[in-house]
Amino acid sequence: MRESSKPWRPFTANCCSVEGQTVFGNFSRCRPSKSEFSKDIAPLPSFRRLSFSDLSRSSSIRINEDLAQSFGADLYDFQLSELRAITQNFSSNFLLGEGGFGTVHKGYVDENMRQGLKAQAVAVKLLDIEGLQGHREWLAEVIFLGQLRHPNLVKLIGYCCEDEERLLVYEFMPRGSLENHLFKRMSMSLPWGTRLKIATGAAKGLAFLHEAEKTVIYRDFKTSNVLLDSDFNAKLSDFGLAKMGPEGSDTHVTTRVMGTYGYAAPEYVSTGHLTTKSDVYSFGVVLLELLTGRRAMDKSRPKSEQNLIDWSKPYLTSSRRLRCIMDPRLGGQYSVKGTKQMALLALQCISLNPKDRPKMAAIIETLEALQNYKDMAVTRGQWPVSQKSGRNGVAPRGRAESRGAVFRKSAPFNPKKT
Ligand SMILES: Nc1ncnc2c1ncn2[C@@H]1O[C@H](COP(=O)(O)OP(=O)(O)OP(=O)(O)O)[C@@H](O)[C@H]1O
Ligand SMILES: [Mg+2]
């Protein structure tokens, strides 16, 4: 499973000569996006290789020189004018999506643009950096994705750093994000087999990071960061929040709490202690989203149903109950055994004690075994979604059951920030 990759190169660029501690003290602003959690935990110097002094013009020139020296032909250093040209000046007609950090536009490069660059569609992310924090995430993305190559990680083709502009150029993923497929009404429903394939692919991406020469913690695993190619192969994108794992005898890294509501592990939210098991927790949440077709956090639902974990937990341990919360868009067409195993796996992943969560390698094994279940035909048509039953086909009895259950209190974030 381990993909061969080049030995990890510490990033020791001249522009990064300021020690993390000093520089991080300047970060007065957290990520201004839906990914933000809190500004309460003091920023700690955990990413020393990625510090930088300022955003002045001379510094952006230095950054370019350093990146070019570090990555050579592996990454293309694009000019802003080139990226403007291939996206028709970042026109809304070419808009692929928008995150908390800016817009993503489709573009086309041709082989004449750069030597060795093949003609292809690309996705250009235009970061609205508005300060050092955005620059830091841009740099983290370049450094992580510039070095890590794996079939389940999106390929970074190049970057642009001009004055205060920061852009990233990725391979284009024709089927967009898992989020769009699962939750956007316009999209076709994903069949059970495809959901399983996506979960397995994404798990392989995370396992690769956790087992890399130097452990990498992804920290922002969620459906919008799982992109799909034309065959629904899953690839992880967005490494702006990724962190190097603990070294030596350390069990965790301590960091400012950042991530996305509904996906972050409770111990990380409350203590800032980050481990690979934090990613496993987020993976469990995404498994629940694949099963139920519901968002990790959905403020448009009644209060008791807004937090997917709290709402779904009482249904996860029996097939009979589970079918009440299965995504109605599956139309009952799924393997009963497979969904039950996946629900149990999700439950393990979201264990409150990180030690009780499985490793990504074990998760892959479980998910791959599910592909052999052939009980689809038995399920087909047996439990049609009734119009009378509630959202997701939850019968009134099911709701009563969930009301009676003891729920864990949700993570201590400020709901106004979502
Ligand atoms: N390489 C790509 N190919 C095709 N579409 C992409 C690509 N990268 C991003 N997108 C689209 O752009 C959207 C926005 O992505 P972006 O990473 O900026 O934000 P996000 O993941 O939705 O939110 P957040 O800012 O919280 O991470 C994605 O959901 C996806 O639909
Ligand atoms: Mg994203």
Side-chain angles (χ1 to χ4, degrees):
M1 180 221 320
R2 195 184 263 244
E3 186 76 3
S4 65
S5 70
K6 293 178 194 157
W8 188 265
R9 281 174 297 196
F11 189 76
T12 50
N14 299 329
C15 64
C16 301
S17 55
V18 181
E19 267 303 290
Q21 194 135 16
T22 319
V23 172
F24 280 32
N26 293 334
F27 292 140
S28 56
R29 180 175 151 273
C30 286
R31 191 176 194 185
S33 75
K34 57 185 173 180
S35 290
E36 183 178 357
F37 270 117
S38 86
K39 299 177 185 177
D40 302 337
I41 294 186
L44 287 157
S46 49
F47 207 28
R48 284 167 221 271
R49 287 177 215 134
L50 286 185
S51 39
F52 44 88
S53 49
D54 60 71
L55 291 177
S56 67
R57 189 175 160 69
S58 64
S59 133
S60 71
I61 291 169
R62 284 219 311 271
I63 291 166
N64 277 320
E65 283 170 1
D66 292 335
L67 289 177
Q69 210 173 11
S70 294
F71 292 105
D74 290 349
L75 287 180
Y76 292 93
D77 163 12
F78 291 105
Q79 286 163 13
L80 186 59
S81 56
E82 290 176 307
L83 300 182
R84 274 193 204 288
I86 65 168
T87 58
Q88 292 203 345
N89 203 14
F90 305 111
S91 110
S92 53
N93 297 337
F94 283 57
L95 187 70
L96 291 171
E98 182 165 8
F101 241 122
T103 50
V104 183
H105 302 259
K106 188 173 181 182
Y108 294 92
V109 296
D110 64 42
E111 62 275 355
N112 301 323
M113 205 162 152
R114 291 297 167 85
Q115 203 184 354
L117 179 62
K118 71 175 195 322
Q120 62 187 298
V122 293
V124 181
K125 189 182 272 192
L126 183 59
L127 274 87
D128 170 17
I129 62 167
E130 245 185 70
L132 291 175
Q133 179 61 24
H135 172 75
R136 179 173 162 251
E137 293 202 14
W138 171 84
L139 197 52
E141 181 110 7
V142 173
I143 289 169
F144 278 112
L145 269 185
Q147 297 187 70
L148 297 164
R149 301 280 164 171
H150 184 271
N152 297 108
L153 303 189
V154 74
K155 186 172 181 234
L156 184 68
I157 294 171
Y159 57 86
C160 169
C161 172
E162 236 174 78
D163 298 331
E164 301 219 336
E165 304 291 347
R166 299 290 180 275
L167 296 92
L168 296 158
V169 181
Y170 306 91
E171 65 174 314
F172 172 66
M173 298 292 286
R175 295 205 186 264
S177 71
L178 173 59
E179 179 188 38
N180 288 344
H181 285 271
L182 269 186
F183 308 124
K184 298 277 153 73
R185 283 183 195 282
M186 302 299 283
S187 61
M188 292 270 290
S189 170
L190 287 172
W192 169 245
T194 310
R195 293 180 196 218
L196 205 45
K197 176 176 177 170
I198 293 169
T200 311
K204 287 181 177 172
L206 280 181
F208 170 69
L209 299 178
H210 293 178
E211 292 163 17
E213 189 188 331
K214 297 238 170 170
T215 301
V216 173
I217 304 171
Y218 181 63
R219 219 178 15 155
D220 205 14
F221 188 77
K222 57 181 177 178
T223 51
S224 71
N225 285 343
V226 176
L227 300 180
L228 304 167
D229 75 6
S230 50
D231 293 325
F232 290 98
N233 291 304
K235 303 197 186 202
L236 307 187
S237 71
D238 261 358
F239 280 68
L241 296 189
K243 273 231 159 282
M244 303 298 295
E247 285 184 278
S249 57
D250 290 346
T251 54
H252 60 263
V253 288
T254 308
T255 154
R256 169 165 38 184
V257 179
M258 295 174 94
T260 302
Y261 290 94
Y263 291 96
E267 76 284 355
Y268 170 56
V269 174
S270 57
T271 65
H273 291 180
L274 188 70
T275 65
T276 51
K277 294 296 181 78
S278 320
D279 284 344
V280 173
Y281 182 94
S282 312
F283 187 82
V285 178
V286 169
L287 287 183
L288 292 179
E289 292 183 297
L290 284 165
L291 287 165
T292 62
R294 287 182 172 224
R295 288 180 182 276
M297 191 61 78
D298 189 346
K299 297 278 175 205
S300 69
R301 293 188 186 271
K303 261 222 144 27
S304 62
E305 299 183 17
Q306 289 181 358
N307 182 308
L308 179 58
I309 291 188
D310 291 347
W311 173 76
S312 65
K313 244 184 186 172
Y315 298 90
L316 299 177
T317 46
S318 97
S319 302
R320 186 179 54 80
R321 284 170 153 221
L322 182 62
R323 76 170 193 246
C324 298
I325 61 161
M326 287 299 296
D327 186 351
R329 295 176 79 196
L330 282 166
Q333 296 187 38
Y334 52 81
S335 154
V336 177
K337 278 194 216 160
T339 51
K340 186 178 176 197
Q341 293 303 318
M342 191 189 271
L344 292 177
L345 181 64
L347 205 52
Q348 258 186 299
C349 293
I350 58 169
S351 298
L352 285 183
N353 184 349
K355 290 195 176 122
D356 294 337
R357 297 174 201 152
K359 289 194 167 175
M360 289 313 302
I363 292 174
I364 294 168
E365 233 173 82
T366 306
L367 290 172
E368 282 182 334
L370 303 193
Q371 278 151 16
N372 302 325
Y373 290 137
K374 304 281 181 242
D375 57 335
M376 286 281 292
V378 182
T379 319
R380 186 167 300 190
Q382 205 173 337
W383 293 302
V385 183
S386 153
Q387 289 302 316
K388 282 181 196 141
S389 57
R391 289 168 101 163
N392 269 29
V394 178
R397 192 172 145 259
R399 286 212 200 92
E401 280 171 353
S402 85
R403 270 201 301 272
V406 180
F407 292 123
R408 175 176 67 80
K409 265 220 144 313
S410 55
F413 49 74
N414 179 354
K416 282 189 213 129
K417 286 187 188 162
T418 49

